[in-house]
Amino acid sequence: MRAALRANLFSLTLPDARFDVDLFGVTLTLLKAGGANKAGAAYYTPSHIADVMARILGLTDEASIHEPACGTGGLLRAAAALMRDRGRDPHTVEWVAVDIDELAIACLAANVIIWDLGYQVLLGVADVLTEHWIPKARKMRAETITVALEAERARRVLDAVIALENPTPEPEAATSGAPASPTPMEKESL
């Protein structure tokens, strides 16, 4: 997703088009066989319907947005787009979303990056009717952040060690028209 964003693939037709589309919702719906969708009762809300729902619910002033059957996050996208339209930064909101479909949550994790929802995001795979998933998800997120920070520190140490082992040569001094001093090899040949 980050490569697609860097390559501006989401702005080929409209600026900020990436905020207006849930490509994964459509893709996931098309990839699943008709019977699989019916068996799992997975129905993805079209973007225009999610946009209307966000406007009706007035989600722009909330401190947190909770979506208990999020799929790939169409309603979260619509809420973030509405916030942007009204001058609010989606980074100021805590986004909490859960679904029973692991693949949908994986798609939502990518969408969080595409839609630039910020770092206050908690995603879970659970049945919200029978599971208390939030404490477990918060613990897993904290562990993941710790591992990521440790990996970043290790990368920096490794970069420093590599730099010490392979120092870059100092650039040659600029000459001001005067002949350069002969090198030791040149002195021997004289």
Side-chain angles (χ1 to χ4, degrees):
M1 286 303 100
R2 289 180 186 186
L5 289 173
R6 280 193 295 271
N8 270 341
L9 293 180
F10 291 99
S11 62
L12 295 176
T13 56
L14 300 169
D16 296 330
R18 68 184 179 141
F19 300 132
D20 298 328
V21 176
D22 177 8
L23 292 177
F24 286 114
V26 175
T27 304
L28 197 56
T29 301
L30 293 174
L31 286 177
K32 289 187 171 188
N37 272 341
K38 289 176 185 162
Y43 297 96
Y44 292 90
T45 307
S47 293
H48 66 283
I49 301 296
D51 291 339
V52 169
M53 289 172 61
R55 289 186 192 287
I56 289 171
L57 294 172
L59 300 175
T60 57
D61 297 327
E62 303 298 319
S64 65
I65 305 288
H66 291 252
E67 172 59 287
C70 63
T72 57
L75 187 57
L76 302 182
R77 182 214 50 81
L82 183 60
M83 287 177 188
R84 285 186 180 96
D85 288 348
R86 295 187 178 170
R88 181 154 185 219
D89 183 359
H91 287 213
T92 63
V93 174
E94 178 186 33
W95 303 92
V96 180
V98 64
D99 201 286
I100 59 173
D101 185 344
E102 294 174 351
L103 186 54
I105 289 295
C107 292
L108 176 53
N111 277 338
V112 164
I113 296 166
I114 293 169
W115 299 331
D116 191 24
L117 297 185
Y119 297 100
Q120 298 182 76
V121 178
L122 184 66
L123 304 178
V125 176
D127 181 346
V128 296
L129 299 176
T130 61
E131 297 177 54
H132 298 287
W133 68 276
I134 290 179
K136 180 181 174 185
R138 287 194 191 285
K139 181 180 177 191
M140 290 175 68
R141 179 177 64 181
E143 290 170 358
T144 301
I145 291 170
T146 299
V147 169
L149 291 172
E150 289 172 359
E152 177 62 20
R153 278 189 225 112
R155 185 195 59 79
R156 287 183 183 168
V157 167
L158 183 59
D159 287 349
V161 168
I162 290 170
L164 288 173
E165 291 178 353
N166 302 311
T168 55
E170 292 185 25
E172 293 184 26
T175 59
S176 58
S181 304
T183 65
M185 293 276 288
E186 292 172 329
K187 286 181 181 177
E188 285 182 22
S189 65
L190 293 177

